[in-house]
Amino acid sequence: MIIQIYGIRTVEDARMVIEEGGHHIGVSYGKIMRTPGQISCEQAKEIFEGVQPSAVRIGLTVAEDIEEIIENLVVTLPDVLHLSGDIEAIKPDQIEILKATFPDLKIMQALPVLANTPLEEQKVMEYVRDYEGVSDFFLIDTKNPDADDIGATGLTHDIYIDKAIIESTSVPCIIAGGLDAANVADAIQVTKPYGVDSFTSTNFGKSVPGKGIKDREKVRAFVEAVQNAHSRQ
């Protein structure tokens, strides 16, 4: 079971997450600041170089311009690029350009799921069909209906929608959206995903400017809950 921890802003946090059992470290970066907590390309590069070869390095972007994304990738070059902006802003043929430009780069496409909304009233299954040919992973996450980007809400959604998505595609799916040490085991038992993702629930209550935001005790509790759930399957 892959454990992906997001919100990494320092090399120290990245190494701590790996020590506690994390497999994927997620970093939100870009030259143009678009989201709270985003770091620069140079900072992301320092983190990625500081953890080699201990973890899979995930770089998140909410940018919608391919040239901007390519310019950022030239500096950072993560193992996996997580596209988490407006899904309709970057078409599958544009993702093909990214994959041709960076042959070793894998793509993680975020899939938006609305909370408190039946599956038949959402477009997510259409997105699965449209993007599975260009995606190495799907990240199934809760979307705020008032935001263009996907995730980082701390909100849960119907895990049976995750289950339906996972059963409909051969693309490895990582589930996200308000997962914590208390609810992740149930989510794993129901959906049987490739991996699980945590951002909000493994952060400190308040971040200190210039410091990391990941709480070791919360990371450890999340990892242990995942491992215990996986061992019971």
Side-chain angles (χ1 to χ4, degrees):
M1 179 68 59
I2 294 299
I3 299 172
Q4 179 168 287
I5 305 293
Y6 249 105
I8 305 299
R9 301 179 191 173
T10 65
V11 173
E12 290 74 22
D13 265 6
R15 291 174 177 168
M16 178 272 289
V17 165
I18 295 167
E19 288 172 4
E20 294 297 334
H23 307 107
H24 289 190
I25 58 164
V27 177
S28 175
Y29 70 89
K31 289 187 176 181
I32 300 174
M33 295 297 110
R34 300 182 184 278
T35 59
Q38 182 179 309
I39 63 176
S40 70
C41 294
E42 290 73 21
Q43 289 172 307
K45 180 181 180 181
E46 179 184 1
I47 292 170
F48 291 154
E49 290 180 345
V51 297
Q52 277 288 53
S54 301
V56 176
R57 305 164 302 168
I58 314 289
L60 180 149
T61 182
V62 298
E64 299 171 0
D65 179 76
I66 291 296
E67 293 304 318
E68 177 186 339
I69 293 172
I70 289 174
E71 185 179 352
N72 290 341
L73 282 171
V74 168
V75 178
T76 58
L77 199 56
D79 300 309
V80 180
L81 176 65
H82 177 183
L83 296 171
S84 198
D86 181 355
I87 189 170
E88 297 186 3
I90 301 180
K91 303 299 182 185
D93 61 335
Q94 294 176 294
I95 296 176
E96 291 281 16
I97 294 172
L98 290 175
K99 293 173 79 75
T101 306
F102 302 94
D104 294 330
L105 180 70
K106 295 185 182 301
I107 297 294
M108 177 183 292
Q109 175 62 59
L111 296 175
V113 177
L114 302 174
N116 305 313
T117 305
L119 176 58
E120 58 270 19
E121 296 179 15
Q122 306 198 42
K123 296 179 66 176
V124 67
M125 298 304 290
E126 178 182 330
Y127 294 139
V128 171
R129 293 190 297 272
D130 289 345
Y131 287 84
E132 61 185 351
V134 294
S135 300
D136 298 284
F137 307 97
F138 282 139
L139 190 287
I140 309 171
D141 209 345
T142 309
K143 184 182 184 300
N144 182 334
D146 297 322
D148 290 330
D149 58 318
I150 303 165
T153 64
L155 301 174
T156 59
H157 58 260
D158 184 355
I159 58 175
Y160 284 92
I161 292 179
D162 293 1
K163 177 180 171 65
I165 293 170
I166 291 167
E167 292 178 349
S168 75
T169 182
S170 61
V171 176
C173 293
I174 298 174
I175 59 173
L179 295 178
D180 57 29
N183 64 20
V184 71
D186 287 342
I188 290 171
Q189 294 297 324
V190 169
T191 66
K192 297 177 173 54
Y194 171 76
V196 294
D197 173 282
S198 171
F199 169 52
T200 308
S201 72
T202 46
N203 290 343
F204 285 114
K206 293 183 179 180
S207 61
V208 179
K211 301 293 185 182
I213 65 168
K214 308 311 295 185
D215 184 323
R216 182 184 287 270
E217 294 305 316
K218 291 180 180 179
V219 170
R220 180 177 297 159
F222 184 78
V223 170
E224 289 179 351
V226 173
Q227 291 173 338
N228 290 337
H230 184 54
S231 66
R232 293 199 300 268
Q233 289 196 63

